[in-house]
Amino acid sequence: MSRRAATLTVASVLVLVLALVGSLMPVPYVALMPGPTSNTLGTNEKGEPLIKIDGRRTYDDKGHLNFVTVTYRGGPGGRIDLFTALRGWLQSDTAIVPEETIFPKNESQKQVDQENVRQMQDSQQSAEAAALNELGIKLSTQTVVNSVQKGMPAEGRLQPGDEIVSLDGTKITSTSQVTDLMAKRKIGASAALTVKRSGKEQKVTLTTAADPTGKRPVVGVVLGDQYKFPFKIDISVGDVGGPSAGLMFSLAIIDKLTPESMTGGKFIAGTGTITAEGKVGPIGGIQQKMVAARKAGATTFLTPKGNCSDAKAAKPDGLRLVRADTLHGARESIAALNGGKGEIPSC
């Protein structure tokens, strides 16, 4: 065998070995790719309205208000191989990110999935509250126990789902109010609570303990605000998690509750978290979400202000970016797109 032939043979073997190693070597990265997109004005996988409202008159809209998602490959339970990561780096619609970006250390994939489900549930409630606030429909809030910490005074006395009715005789209307009232007492002082459980009120008196810093009096509960709506709103999105569809949920609820067509028949997609006050927040995976929206047919994409820089740099052809700072602003921008007055802020 000539020296040249021997060199080619050795090189070929090395390439094959490297290819085999690359296909088997797991790496601590996750591939983010465009995920499914769904019309909040349409139906879910079961053919049921994605957003269903009972107890209030609703109106149809033939247009689209799509929320978009990101899908991923990899993670602690099934890491991608080196070649998959390298291929993803070369694809414009795929992002390869460190594993801890999606799966924080000391958290399992199951825990991350559970947190995503919780965030979706919270975002739906915030979206409903934001929509009703935007329309001037009155709603009330209640402060409930989300979790009880082990080894703290509330353990065995309070439980998740308990509504905090009053503290030391003061009616409670928000979590922040409880925080303010608790901060006024000394560590070791009592806290007289009235809680509602299964529709019945009961009194619970707890002795406060010190928080981990040793400076603040606490009883060992994590509280959250829940909203009491004057009619029923159901949002069914299937196996989708995270808080980033909040803005689109709010817009769809408003559209269903008002006789005018919000979309004017247009295909509008978007993303962004939402607070009950209607403030829009940034999200992750903006590049992949824009790609998913454009592939589905969207021509307008509502973009949180905090994502504008990345979105502008990766905008697909044929997709107009409209900056969304608030729910009210997004609503006005859509009206302007349909021929109404007002400016349309862009990224």
Side-chain angles (χ1 to χ4, degrees):
M1 181 182 296
S2 66
R3 178 176 297 179
R4 181 179 180 184
T7 301
L8 289 173
T9 300
V10 171
S12 299
V13 171
L14 288 174
V15 170
L16 289 173
V17 170
L18 288 173
L20 179 61
V21 171
S23 65
L24 297 176
M25 180 186 296
V27 291
Y29 289 89
V30 174
L32 302 180
M33 299 163 289
T37 174
S38 300
N39 185 11
T40 54
L41 301 175
T43 57
N44 58 22
E45 294 178 351
K46 297 180 180 179
E48 302 168 343
L50 194 146
I51 297 178
K52 185 179 180 181
I53 300 175
D54 291 324
R56 192 91 170 191
R57 183 178 180 181
T58 58
Y59 305 87
D60 293 331
D61 186 337
K62 301 300 182 182
H64 283 250
L65 287 172
N66 280 45
F67 76 88
V68 285
T69 64
V70 172
T71 186
Y72 69 86
R73 290 181 61 189
R79 284 180 168 171
I80 59 175
D81 57 60
L82 179 60
F83 275 1
T84 298
L86 292 174
R87 187 168 60 248
W89 267 309
L90 298 175
Q91 295 174 327
S92 60
D93 64 349
T94 301
I96 304 298
V97 299
E99 191 174 82
E100 59 266 24
T101 304
I102 309 298
F103 302 94
K105 291 182 179 180
N106 303 320
E107 286 192 22
S108 67
Q109 187 162 336
K110 182 178 180 180
Q111 288 174 314
V112 171
D113 290 342
Q114 289 174 337
E115 175 62 15
N116 283 335
V117 170
R118 186 193 66 77
Q119 289 181 345
M120 171 58 82
Q121 293 171 342
D122 289 347
S123 76
Q124 291 176 0
Q125 184 174 217
S126 295
E128 294 167 15
L132 269 58
N133 283 331
E134 171 70 11
L135 293 174
I137 299 174
K138 292 184 178 181
L139 64 155
S140 58
T141 61
Q142 57 185 18
T143 300
V144 299
V145 176
N146 285 338
S147 62
V148 179
Q149 298 171 330
K150 292 184 177 179
M152 297 299 283
E155 184 180 13
R157 306 290 304 282
L158 299 178
Q159 61 187 41
D162 285 348
E163 178 187 351
I164 308 299
V165 177
S166 68
L167 172 57
D168 296 333
T170 300
K171 184 179 179 180
I172 298 301
T173 57
S174 68
T175 298
S176 59
Q177 185 185 12
V178 176
T179 302
D180 292 341
L181 289 172
M182 288 293 295
K184 295 178 180 179
R185 72 199 66 223
K186 295 181 179 179
I187 296 171
S190 64
L193 297 164
T194 299
V195 302
K196 183 181 289 186
R197 182 183 302 166
S198 300
K200 297 182 179 179
E201 291 189 3
Q202 53 185 285
K203 298 186 182 299
V204 179
T205 299
L206 303 172
T207 300
T208 60
D211 74 339
T213 68
K215 298 179 180 180
R216 293 191 305 115
V218 296
V219 295
V221 293
V222 176
L223 301 176
D225 290 331
Q226 288 187 355
Y227 300 94
K228 298 174 70 174
F229 301 105
F231 47 87
K232 189 175 182 180
I233 304 174
D234 282 329
I235 302 177
S236 304
V237 295
D239 189 21
V240 178
S244 63
L247 170 62
M248 304 312 293
F249 289 152
S250 290
L251 289 170
I253 292 168
I254 291 171
D255 198 3
K256 284 177 172 287
L257 291 173
T258 51
E260 303 83 7
S261 167
M262 178 183 292
T263 68
K266 292 181 174 61
F267 196 135
I268 300 169
T271 188
T273 63
I274 196 77
T275 66
E277 295 74 32
K279 184 177 180 180
V280 178
I283 50 80
I286 187 69
Q287 295 92 336
Q288 290 72 43
K289 290 178 178 179
M290 289 191 302
V291 170
R294 186 67 188 112
K295 284 183 177 179
T299 55
T300 300
F301 193 83
L302 300 174
T303 311
K305 182 179 180 180
N307 293 118
C308 266
S309 178
D310 290 336
K312 188 176 180 180
K315 181 181 74 68
D317 291 339
L319 191 66
R320 179 176 184 174
L321 302 184
V322 175
R323 195 184 76 232
D325 301 340
T326 65
L327 174 59
H328 184 72
R331 191 181 175 193
E332 288 189 328
S333 293
I334 294 173
L337 284 170
N338 291 326
K341 297 181 180 180
E343 296 182 359
I344 303 175
S346 61
C347 288

